[in-house]
Amino acid sequence: MVAEIVSVGTELLLGQIADTNAQTLGKILPEYGIEHKFRQTVGDNVQRLTDALKLAVSRSDIVFTIGGLGPTADDLTREGIAAALGDELVLDEAISAHLKHLFEVRKMQWLDMQNRQAMRPTCATPIENPNGTAPGLLCQKEGKVVIAMPGPKGEFGPMANGPVRDFLLKHAGGEVIHSRLLRICGLGESTVEDKIRPLLDATNPTVAPYAQVGEVHLRVTAKAPNVDLAEAMIEPVEMRIRSVLDDAVYGSGDTTLEKALIDLLVGRKETVAVAESITGGGVGAQLTAVAGSGDAFIGGVITYQPEMKEKLLGVDSGILSDPERGPVDPQVAEQMAQGVRKLCNSTYGVSLTGNAGPAADQGGKPVGLVYLAVAWDGGVEVQEYRWRGQREDIRRRASQFALTLLRSVVLRRIQ
Amino acid sequence: MVAEIVSVGTELLLGQIADTNAQTLGKILPEYGIEHKFRQTVGDNVQRLTDALKLAVSRSDIVFTIGGLGPTADDLTREGIAAALGDELVLDEAISAHLKHLFEVRKMQWLDMQNRQAMRPTCATPIENPNGTAPGLLCQKEGKVVIAMPGPKGEFGPMANGPVRDFLLKHAGGEVIHSRLLRICGLGESTVEDKIRPLLDATNPTVAPYAQVGEVHLRVTAKAPNVDLAEAMIEPVEMRIRSVLDDAVYGSGDTTLEKALIDLLVGRKETVAVAESITGGGVGAQLTAVAGSGDAFIGGVITYQPEMKEKLLGVDSGILSDPERGPVDPQVAEQMAQGVRKLCNSTYGVSLTGNAGPAADQGGKPVGLVYLAVAWDGGVEVQEYRWRGQREDIRRRASQFALTLLRSVVLRRIQ
């Protein structure tokens, strides 16, 4: 079964709101084994809406419209559906009576315009909307199905998750599309693809890579009669990926890198402290976004000015004031990591120093040059990176790679 | 001129991500008087992508594709555009050489697959992408224009706002819809609405309020033959708003609160340091997101563990260990702000301590209880807040309100 969404509303095209309703519905469809191949977005124009719906009905088995069911003259979805299905609109007396009753109860003035919401194609049955005035419409004609839902989130969500799910459960042909996300750090997208190449050609389950900042995500998706069977098909593929990529898979599902790291440290009763320059506190903020991070995160220092690096962390002032070296220097990163570890009495010290731009720094160090370090009892590791991109990207990348470095140091010490 | 967006990516149809890029572009188009009548979303399938592009090219003057420019086999936008325009793909040697150079500099392994990103329709010229590997493509054939842009936000945004705006400025004509955003802190949405009520009924320019976390934004929008005339219509409305809301308007356009604050401090040759507990470094990260923030931001400490508050900032250990008080306490906030100001020798010290949840803390302090403080030469101000919401919301709110408090202290000292 092939589905298509037609989102209606000029405000969507103007970018005044993001189309999160279509996103919500997009997540629901695969759960019922429905293929979702197209989405169209049109403004409040009856001709363009009708054209879009005709196209949708011609190529898809079930079409969802979102929005355009209000009482005003620019709410045209009812007209569009009737035109696309070659049907006509009639006043539904039951809906009209229900609306009048609602207005009475809410002590709102009834305007005849309101009866627009009681119009429906002759082939339609109303879908109850306990959260607003406009009912949804289930239109069935000549084997095609059009389901019209209201746009306000508080009305759309309950309708999509209630009566629409019920309908799909009954009428969608049984197969589910179920997926699991595997999260990878420390390897680039092409390296990951290279390592798992044979899996990329498989058709069920499929494996699809997505590059993220400093991470790669692999989505393993199976089509099966039910979720349990899909899981059973995903399982061996996940095992295969994990055996090839090994430690680089840091988690699955919603597990973030910082969450995986906090869990790893808490499990080992180890702690971490940060010394941040280029990220200005971003790594600390990222780690403490995890509930319960206090069991592993001690705190740290933000040494944005070079003299703070000396004062709070004991970094060698000779390097800092050397015009050839300055604060963006591998040894500065090393001493920062060691210094904060000592200051906070933590198992690990993580440091970041670099130039996020927009201009070369005092020491003439180029934009994008970053040094990261992790210090532990008896050792320190420093990494150098040269990134391109905006200030925000460089800082975000620095945070991700610092956490990745910390994770690799912790794992290495376990082995 | 009629424009159409074709967003490419199975992840969009599956609802894994919201299509915020299309939203961004949707906001840009009206500024150049371009009518945006259709948007299509298709998955990573070359036939459906080609069909969508053929339809788009047949009914719109300018078509934008977003996504599908990566190096992997499911990045098919180049193929789709060539097929839709009846063109063919060639390897662009200059792009290829540039890519190889990038890989060399970044010390990444070159795979021949990467050359997919150097393919382009013969009618295309590349659009520079300083933030990623895939160049954009400007394809012009038989009076039709297709502009292909990469999907990652950090690459898409700068390209849309840079070279694409330049192109639109040159080639689009007609009435513009132009707006200016005024940014307000320290007042709630209903207070702002109440103060400017008469302006909310105006039709050209219109004034529309948007509530943000800890801020209110007012968008003033005018329709006029050109941007200069629109600006001239917006000007008196802005003056009126500023005269009513006074200092609460901290900036306009893209000026963030942190940017306005850094500018204010730099102008006064004053400096700030932060002592963060609940936000874990988030305020420092926010301030240092501003290019040039080093002229006012010294650094600070992340005292996530109570003992760090004593050790690094000299907070009274009696309060910290008092079971009735603990670290979430007004006097702790006060001493943190004073302590970090002294430690970093800055004009101002800002502190944040509180409970972001998910559970009540050791001292039994409820989730959402937050103390903020700002210390200066001869004074300190503490604020108490009790917020509801998720951990993330509470932390974000704490950062915004701390910056708002700092701004009000700085402004008060000027008067």
Side-chain angles (χ1 to χ4, degrees):
Chain A
M1 186 179 256
V2 175
E4 176 155 0
I5 298 176
V6 178
S7 296
V8 185
T10 302
E11 70 279 15
L12 292 166
L13 293 177
L14 290 177
Q16 287 162 1
I17 54 170
D19 194 354
T20 52
N21 287 336
Q23 191 186 3
T24 300
L25 188 53
K27 281 184 195 159
I28 291 175
L29 298 174
E31 292 182 41
Y32 298 89
I34 297 170
E35 285 188 276
H36 176 201
K37 291 188 174 171
F38 308 95
R39 184 161 88 213
Q40 301 182 69
T41 310
V42 287
D44 303 312
N45 174 290
V46 76
Q47 187 55 54
R48 290 196 285 275
L49 175 55
T50 303
D51 289 347
L53 283 169
K54 276 186 180 162
L55 175 63
V57 166
S58 74
R59 65 186 177 186
S60 302
D61 306 302
I62 179 165
V63 177
F64 297 89
T65 68
I66 306 176
L69 293 181
T72 69
D74 68 353
D75 290 302
L76 298 159
T77 300
R78 285 172 290 261
E79 283 80 356
I81 293 174
L85 291 177
D87 199 350
E88 55 186 47
L89 292 179
V90 289
L91 180 76
D92 186 308
E93 296 292 348
I95 302 177
S96 178
H98 171 69
L99 288 176
K100 281 178 184 152
H101 172 72
L102 271 186
F103 271 66
E104 219 175 278
V105 169
R106 296 189 196 171
K107 291 178 185 141
M108 285 160 59
Q109 199 198 342
W110 174 263
L111 299 166
D112 275 337
M113 173 179 90
Q114 216 63 41
N115 254 339
R116 281 180 59 78
Q117 293 193 306
M119 301 297 286
R120 61 165 176 82
T122 62
C123 70
T125 51
I127 304 171
E128 218 187 325
N129 176 9
N131 305 297
T133 50
L137 295 171
L138 167 61
C139 314
Q140 290 174 292
K141 196 175 174 189
E142 290 157 17
K144 296 291 183 179
V145 179
V146 179
I147 295 182
M149 287 185 277
K153 211 179 298 282
E155 303 177 30
F156 171 84
M159 191 178 289
N161 282 302
V164 168
R165 273 188 187 271
D166 293 343
F167 178 86
L168 296 178
L169 192 62
K170 262 196 215 144
H171 295 87
E175 283 220 311
V176 302
I177 298 174
H178 182 73
S179 68
R180 191 177 305 164
L181 195 71
L182 297 177
R183 295 164 164 258
I184 292 139
C185 65
L187 297 176
E189 191 185 14
S190 2
T191 310
V192 170
E193 286 200 9
D194 223 42
K195 283 176 183 277
I196 61 160
R197 176 136 337 260
L199 292 173
L200 294 176
D201 297 329
T203 51
N204 191 21
T206 57
V207 179
Y210 301 94
Q212 305 287 320
V213 176
E215 302 191 10
V216 177
H217 294 174
L218 288 177
R219 184 172 289 274
V220 187
T221 306
K223 215 180 210 177
N226 60 54
V227 170
D228 286 348
L229 289 172
E231 289 269 354
M233 290 165 71
I234 290 171
E235 190 70 16
V237 178
E238 175 173 353
M239 287 302 114
R240 178 99 178 273
I241 293 170
R242 285 183 183 267
S243 79
V244 174
L245 299 181
D246 202 24
D247 273 354
V249 180
Y250 73 76
S252 63
D254 291 335
T255 307
T256 57
L257 180 54
E258 50 271 24
K259 171 85 171 82
L261 198 44
I262 292 288
D263 288 348
L264 179 65
L265 291 170
V266 171
R268 290 174 53 75
K269 294 190 180 13
E270 294 185 329
T271 57
V272 62
V274 295
E276 303 191 49
S277 183
I278 183 170
T279 40
V283 176
Q286 203 174 336
L287 286 170
T288 56
V290 180
S293 48
D295 292 338
F297 182 69
I298 305 291
V301 295
I302 306 168
T303 53
Y304 209 60
Q305 298 300 327
E307 58 271 25
M308 286 291 119
K309 295 179 177 67
E310 182 193 353
K311 180 172 174 184
L312 298 179
L313 299 172
V315 172
D316 185 346
S317 63
I319 305 174
L320 293 170
S321 60
D322 182 339
E324 303 273 294
R325 300 182 65 178
V328 181
D329 180 278
Q331 217 180 328
V332 169
E334 192 177 307
Q335 294 182 6
M336 284 171 68
Q338 288 166 327
V340 79
R341 181 178 170 268
K342 201 169 144 195
L343 182 72
C344 294
N345 194 25
S346 56
T347 320
Y348 303 98
V350 176
S351 73
L352 310 92
T353 181
N355 182 0
D361 73 350
Q362 309 99 306
K365 298 299 170 71
V367 174
L369 178 64
V370 176
Y371 293 97
L372 309 174
V374 171
W376 65 94
D377 183 16
V380 61
E381 179 171 341
V382 185
Q383 289 185 343
E384 176 187 302
Y385 289 98
R386 288 165 192 271
W387 288 308
R388 283 160 53 111
Q390 307 270 301
R391 182 176 176 85
E392 190 189 327
D393 301 324
I394 292 170
R395 283 160 42 100
R396 173 95 186 112
R397 227 168 258 276
S399 296
Q400 285 296 111
F401 278 76
L403 296 182
T404 302
L405 174 60
L406 172 59
R407 184 169 175 274
S408 82
V409 168
V410 176
L411 290 177
R412 209 185 310 145
R413 275 166 44 99
I414 297 177
Q415 284 158 355
Chain B
M1 186 178 256
V2 175
E4 175 154 2
I5 297 177
V6 177
S7 296
V8 185
T10 303
E11 70 278 15
L12 292 167
L13 292 177
L14 290 177
Q16 288 160 5
I17 54 170
D19 194 355
T20 53
N21 288 335
Q23 191 186 3
T24 300
L25 188 53
K27 282 183 195 161
I28 291 174
L29 297 174
E31 292 183 40
Y32 299 89
I34 297 170
E35 284 189 276
H36 176 202
K37 291 188 173 171
F38 307 96
R39 184 160 89 214
Q40 299 183 72
T41 309
V42 288
D44 303 312
N45 173 291
V46 76
Q47 188 54 54
R48 290 196 284 275
L49 175 55
T50 304
D51 289 347
L53 284 169
K54 276 186 180 161
L55 176 63
V57 166
S58 74
R59 65 186 176 186
S60 302
D61 305 302
I62 178 164
V63 177
F64 297 88
T65 67
I66 307 176
L69 293 181
T72 69
D74 68 352
D75 290 302
L76 297 159
T77 299
R78 286 172 290 262
E79 282 79 357
I81 294 174
L85 291 178
D87 198 351
E88 56 187 46
L89 292 180
V90 289
L91 181 77
D92 187 308
E93 296 292 347
I95 302 177
S96 178
H98 172 69
L99 288 177
K100 281 179 185 152
H101 172 72
L102 272 186
F103 271 67
E104 218 174 280
V105 169
R106 295 190 195 171
K107 293 177 187 148
M108 283 160 61
Q109 197 199 343
W110 173 263
L111 299 167
D112 275 336
M113 174 178 88
Q114 217 64 41
N115 254 340
R116 282 182 56 79
Q117 294 193 305
M119 301 298 286
R120 61 165 176 82
T122 62
C123 69
T125 50
I127 304 171
E128 218 188 328
N129 176 8
N131 305 298
T133 49
L137 295 172
L138 168 60
C139 314
Q140 289 174 291
K141 198 174 172 189
E142 291 157 16
K144 294 293 185 177
V145 179
V146 179
I147 295 182
M149 288 185 276
K153 212 179 298 281
E155 303 178 31
F156 171 84
M159 191 177 290
N161 282 302
V164 168
R165 273 188 187 272
D166 293 344
F167 179 86
L168 296 178
L169 192 62
K170 262 195 214 146
H171 295 88
E175 238 190 10
V176 302
I177 299 172
H178 182 73
S179 67
R180 191 177 305 164
L181 195 70
L182 297 178
R183 294 163 164 259
I184 292 138
C185 68
L187 296 176
E189 190 186 14
S190 25
T191 311
V192 170
E193 285 199 12
D194 221 45
K195 284 176 183 274
I196 62 159
R197 178 135 335 258
L199 292 173
L200 294 176
D201 297 329
T203 52
N204 192 18
T206 56
V207 178
Y210 301 93
Q212 306 286 320
V213 176
E215 303 190 8
V216 177
H217 294 174
L218 289 177
R219 184 173 289 275
V220 187
T221 306
K223 213 182 209 175
N226 61 54
V227 171
D228 285 349
L229 289 173
E231 288 269 354
M233 289 164 70
I234 290 171
E235 190 70 17
V237 178
E238 176 175 353
M239 287 302 114
R240 179 98 179 272
I241 292 170
R242 284 183 183 268
S243 80
V244 174
L245 299 180
D246 203 25
D247 272 354
V249 180
Y250 73 77
S252 63
D254 291 335
T255 307
T256 57
L257 180 54
E258 49 272 24
K259 171 86 171 82
L261 198 43
I262 292 288
D263 288 348
L264 178 66
L265 291 170
V266 171
R268 291 174 52 77
K269 295 192 180 12
E270 293 184 331
T271 58
V272 64
V274 296
E276 303 191 48
S277 183
I278 183 169
T279 41
V283 176
Q286 203 174 337
L287 286 170
T288 56
V290 180
S293 49
D295 292 338
F297 182 68
I298 304 290
V301 294
I302 306 169
T303 53
Y304 209 61
Q305 298 300 328
E307 56 272 26
M308 287 290 120
K309 296 180 177 68
E310 183 193 351
K311 181 173 173 183
L312 299 178
L313 299 173
V315 172
D316 185 345
S317 63
I319 305 174
L320 292 170
S321 59
D322 182 341
E324 302 274 292
R325 299 183 65 177
V328 181
D329 181 279
Q331 217 179 328
V332 169
E334 192 178 308
Q335 294 182 7
M336 284 172 68
Q338 289 166 327
V340 80
R341 180 176 171 269
K342 201 170 144 194
L343 182 72
C344 294
N345 194 24
S346 56
T347 320
Y348 303 98
V350 177
S351 72
L352 311 91
T353 182
N355 182 2
D361 73 350
Q362 310 99 305
K365 298 299 170 71
V367 174
L369 178 63
V370 176
Y371 292 96
L372 308 173
V374 171
W376 64 95
D377 182 17
V380 60
E381 180 169 340
V382 185
Q383 289 185 344
E384 176 186 304
Y385 289 97
R386 287 165 191 271
W387 288 308
R388 283 160 56 111
Q390 305 276 300
R391 182 175 176 87
E392 191 189 326
D393 303 325
I394 292 169
R395 282 159 43 100
R396 172 94 188 113
R397 229 167 257 276
S399 296
Q400 284 296 111
F401 279 76
L403 296 181
T404 302
L405 174 59
L406 173 58
R407 183 168 176 274
S408 83
V409 168
V410 176
L411 290 177
R412 209 185 312 144
R413 275 165 43 100
I414 297 176
Q415 284 157 355

